[in-house]
Each structure stands twice: as C-alpha cells, then as structure tokens.
Amino acid sequence: MSRRLVSLTLDTLEDLPRSCRQCVYWELDPVSAERACAAGDPGLEKEAWVSQTLLEWGSCGKLAYVDGMPAGFVMYAPPAYVPRSMAFPTSPVSADAALLMTAHVVPAFAGGGLGRMLVQGVARDLTKRGIKAIEAFGDAKFGDDGDDPGRACLAPADFFLSVGFKTVRPHPRYPRLRLELRTALSWKSDVEYALEKLLGSMSPETLLRPVRPAPATRSMS
C-alpha cells in the first residue's frame, strides 16, 4: 500500500470530496456564504479563494492518497484569510498561529494514521515559512447536529487531541486547540533518531552480509 502527500492546487482541488469541493463555510463570512449557496455555484467561490490564497500566501492545503486514491485532506491559512474564524465564541486565533480550518479522512481509510500524516505535512510546510503553531476550532459534540451540514466542516475536538493538539480556550462545544509545530515535527525525528541509532551500531558489511551461525567449538576435557 503506497501513501503520498501532495499540496492543494487548483488541479488537486478536484480531488476533494464533492461536498467539500462545493463548500465555502470557512472561506466566506456567514452572509456571503449564504449568498453564494443561493446563487447556485459555491464551487466557483471555493476555487477563487484557493487561487487567491495560493498567489498571496502560498500552500493552503494537503491531500493524502492511498494507492492513488484520494483518502483525506486538510486546509489551513492565516486567520485573516478565513472570515468564518471570527464567528466562534473562542475566537480569535492567536497572532503567531495559522488556522487549520478542516481535516477529513475518508471513512474507508480511517484508523491508518493518515490524520497524523496530514497534520505533520502541514507542520513541515508552516515551519519553513516561520510560523510557530497551528490552531483549530474543534467540535466537542461532532455528529450531534445531523440536520446542519455546516457542522460537517468542523473536525471533532477528539481528533485534534489525538494528534497532539492542546486546549488553549475551553468551550462546551467549540474549544480552540493549539499544536506547537516543534512538537509535531518531533514525531518523525524521534523515529528517525531511533532508526539511525540502530543502523549506526551496524557496519555496512553487517547490513549486507547474511548472518552465519558461529562455528561450534570443541570442549576441552
């Protein structure tokens, strides 16, 4: 099973789930979002937002593929690019953080670590750009509003906690959570360090040569 992570572009935008491809919950303020939906094609607004953010700020999303199939995605941007970010009781996002707007893993691929892989991809990207942290508005009661499609644009608070986020402003429904990027990057470095330590204790000859049993020794009587 091959897994790869790619940046969101106007080309890969088409690989988002259809409901997400047509959603402008985060990209527009509530009134503008309602107008876009009433006009009948919010997908155009979504594409315009991605295009503008890519041009002005840079990469704003990651997609994960498993054996060539789109399996999950995250979207992120500075809060200034995300009008909806001011509509939460736990707003605003901290000045030194980017906002992780939404995260989704296709149910068929859930439980395989793709969520952490996506968050780590975001962490690597933002660290290179001098950003110190990611924040997110979690939904502590995810799934309770079955009749409210907008709530599907939030990720469960438990998901963020499971990948290393910490609560910085509690709320019974919409806690604001934060992940220091150096913490996210240490996940991989810890594993790499352990592997390098193991390999470093073995010479190249040992790595390439098959292990042979030691010759039997004759006991002295």
Side-chain angles (χ1 to χ4, degrees):
M1 182 179 294
S2 66
R3 305 197 304 179
R4 64 189 179 96
L5 206 61
V6 304
S7 294
L8 178 68
T9 65
L10 292 178
D11 295 327
T12 57
L13 180 63
E14 301 307 320
D15 283 342
L16 295 184
R18 180 170 176 78
S19 59
C20 301
R21 173 65 180 84
Q22 298 292 321
C23 177
V24 287
Y25 177 87
W26 289 104
E27 293 82 359
L28 300 176
D29 64 79
V31 173
S32 298
E34 287 183 10
R35 288 175 181 166
C37 291
D41 195 359
L44 289 175
E45 295 286 351
K46 181 89 161 193
E47 183 174 334
W49 183 90
V50 171
S51 178
Q52 180 182 7
T53 306
L54 286 170
L55 287 171
E56 296 180 359
W57 184 66
S59 179
C60 56
K62 298 287 182 186
L63 289 91
Y65 294 82
V66 175
D67 291 338
M69 297 287 293
F73 74 96
V74 291
M75 293 185 67
Y76 54 96
Y81 283 79
V82 189
R84 178 73 67 160
S85 69
M86 294 304 298
F88 289 85
T90 48
S91 300
V93 173
S94 301
D96 64 347
L99 174 66
L100 199 159
M101 299 151 55
T102 188
H104 177 74
V105 173
V106 175
F109 299 102
L114 286 180
R116 178 165 289 216
M117 176 182 170
L118 285 161
V119 171
Q120 192 174 49
V122 176
R124 282 196 299 269
D125 177 33
L126 294 181
T127 298
K128 294 175 184 176
R129 295 150 79 172
I131 296 173
K132 295 181 179 179
I134 317 169
E135 292 190 358
F137 297 104
D139 188 346
K141 298 181 180 180
F142 186 82
D144 288 1
D145 294 332
D147 58 343
D148 186 350
R151 293 294 177 258
C153 302
L154 281 81
D158 286 346
F159 164 74
F160 292 117
L161 293 171
S162 73
V163 296
F165 282 72
K166 305 295 183 185
T167 303
V168 291
R169 190 168 177 192
H171 187 270
R173 183 67 192 257
Y174 303 116
R176 178 158 52 88
L177 305 104
R178 179 180 174 97
L179 176 66
E180 302 293 336
L181 295 186
R182 63 177 180 271
T183 300
L185 293 176
S186 72
W187 297 334
K188 185 175 182 181
S189 61
D190 288 347
V191 173
E192 288 178 340
Y193 174 75
L195 183 59
E196 288 171 1
K197 187 174 180 182
L198 172 65
L199 296 179
S201 66
M202 304 173 70
S203 67
E205 292 80 5
T206 304
L207 288 172
L208 297 173
R209 190 175 60 237
V211 178
R212 293 174 181 162
T217 56
R218 186 177 298 173
S219 60
M220 301 290 293
S221 55

